[in-house]
Amino acid sequence: MDRVGDDVGHVVVHQAVEAPLSVALAGDQLGLAHGAALVGPRASCHVEAALQLAPPQPPPAVQPQPDPDPAPIRRAAELLTRAKLPLIHAGGGVLHAGAFEELAEIAELLHAPVTTSWSGRGVLRESHPLAWPMVHIKPVNQLRNAADVVLNLGARLGETDWWGKAPYWAQPDVQRHIQVDLEEDALGRNRPVDVAVQADIKVFLRALIDELKGTIQPLAAREKSVARLARARDRDRASLDAKLGDRSAPMLSAHVPAACRQVFP
């Protein structure tokens, strides 16, 4: 295949080269190539055009997110305020919305522990006292069974979230489920919902924070429950950290991320 310059496409027909120099001429050149391929012995026709021939396309305009319906936000605020132990489960929707500050604010406002899906990992720093990193499998399962209200932010509760089902989560009749997702067809897909909110996560959380400000939260009782559940998480963390004392060969693979954390804090 012959190459004609770096900025133009070319057509190779029986070793004859045609170079379309613009989008306007490309159609004519394709016609010529097709005609030439039918003259004399039949042969294949190969057409190649560089991407530069296409006019540049502007990036898609960022569409402003509409304000969500206030009614389900008020209902969500009521359930969370009455909850003995609310849990926030953060999925990839938090990442896509860039709602990191809002997530931390709502967790601290409610004193609600936070678990994540695989795609949501890192949306809340894992050293945060309300973070239950997914590496602590049994403590996470204990927490998900202890919570009486779940605020699901942009997580689909798929296979890696155990489909939102027992024994990894409490049964729906004892655990209320508030699900927020930008895509309507994701709401209630894998677990029944008590409150469904179609909204951008960041927009929703700002509205929910405003709704909850001034409310009285049963923080003392929640702090006691969280502290009790955190002991299992912290024991598991200590057990994992202790393994870093193993300097034998072959090297324990956990040393790699541990060293990276020291070098790249």
Side-chain angles (χ1 to χ4, degrees):
M1 186 179 298
D2 296 323
R3 174 69 59 185
V4 181
D6 294 325
D7 299 324
V8 297
H10 64 275
V11 177
V12 179
V13 181
H14 297 309
Q15 301 182 9
V17 177
E18 298 288 348
L21 300 178
S22 70
V23 174
L25 296 176
D28 292 338
Q29 297 286 32
L30 286 171
L32 291 172
H34 181 257
L38 298 178
V39 175
R42 296 295 176 92
S44 62
C45 173
H46 180 83
V47 177
E48 179 179 321
L51 291 178
Q52 288 88 339
L53 289 179
Q57 299 296 319
V62 177
Q63 299 296 326
Q65 298 298 334
D67 292 335
D69 183 354
I73 294 177
R74 288 194 294 268
R75 178 62 177 149
E78 292 170 1
L79 286 178
L80 291 166
T81 297
R82 294 203 306 263
K84 294 179 180 178
L85 179 60
L87 165 68
I88 299 173
H89 184 60
V94 177
L95 178 66
H96 294 304
F100 312 111
E101 294 180 3
E102 289 80 6
L103 173 62
E105 185 174 352
I106 195 68
E108 293 165 4
L109 180 62
L110 295 169
H111 201 77
V114 178
T115 63
T116 72
S117 67
W118 281 21
S119 61
R121 187 173 184 184
V123 293
L124 181 70
R125 59 180 175 85
E126 296 192 343
S127 59
H128 192 288
L130 290 172
W132 259 248
M134 60 191 309
V135 67
H136 305 301
I137 298 174
K138 289 184 178 179
V140 166
N141 291 341
Q142 291 171 357
L143 173 62
R144 290 174 176 169
N145 276 275
D148 58 336
V149 176
V150 174
L151 175 59
N152 175 357
L153 300 173
R156 306 298 173 84
L157 297 181
E159 180 181 6
T160 56
D161 283 328
W162 309 107
W163 305 107
K165 300 184 185 302
Y168 309 101
W169 299 77
Q171 294 285 359
D173 59 342
V174 297
Q175 186 179 74
R176 313 303 290 272
H177 181 205
I178 304 165
Q179 185 177 5
V180 188
D181 203 287
L182 192 57
E183 297 184 18
E184 185 178 11
D185 63 354
L187 299 172
R189 178 184 296 173
N190 293 322
R191 182 180 172 95
V193 292
D194 296 281
V195 179
V197 185
Q198 183 184 5
D200 174 83
I201 303 298
K202 188 181 186 77
V203 174
F204 166 81
L205 286 178
R206 288 275 27 122
L208 180 63
I209 290 168
D210 291 341
E211 188 73 26
L212 287 171
K213 283 181 178 178
T215 60
I216 300 175
Q217 303 290 325
L219 295 181
R222 291 176 188 170
E223 289 170 358
K224 184 176 180 179
S225 296
V226 170
R228 174 177 55 81
L229 290 162
R231 287 196 285 270
R233 176 201 63 188
D234 295 343
R235 284 196 300 269
D236 195 47
R237 179 71 266 168
S239 175
L240 293 173
D241 289 342
K243 296 183 184 298
L244 294 175
D246 183 353
R247 300 286 179 173
S248 61
M251 182 184 72
L252 186 69
S253 60
H255 285 293
V256 176
C260 288
R261 284 183 174 179
Q262 293 176 359
V263 176
F264 309 108

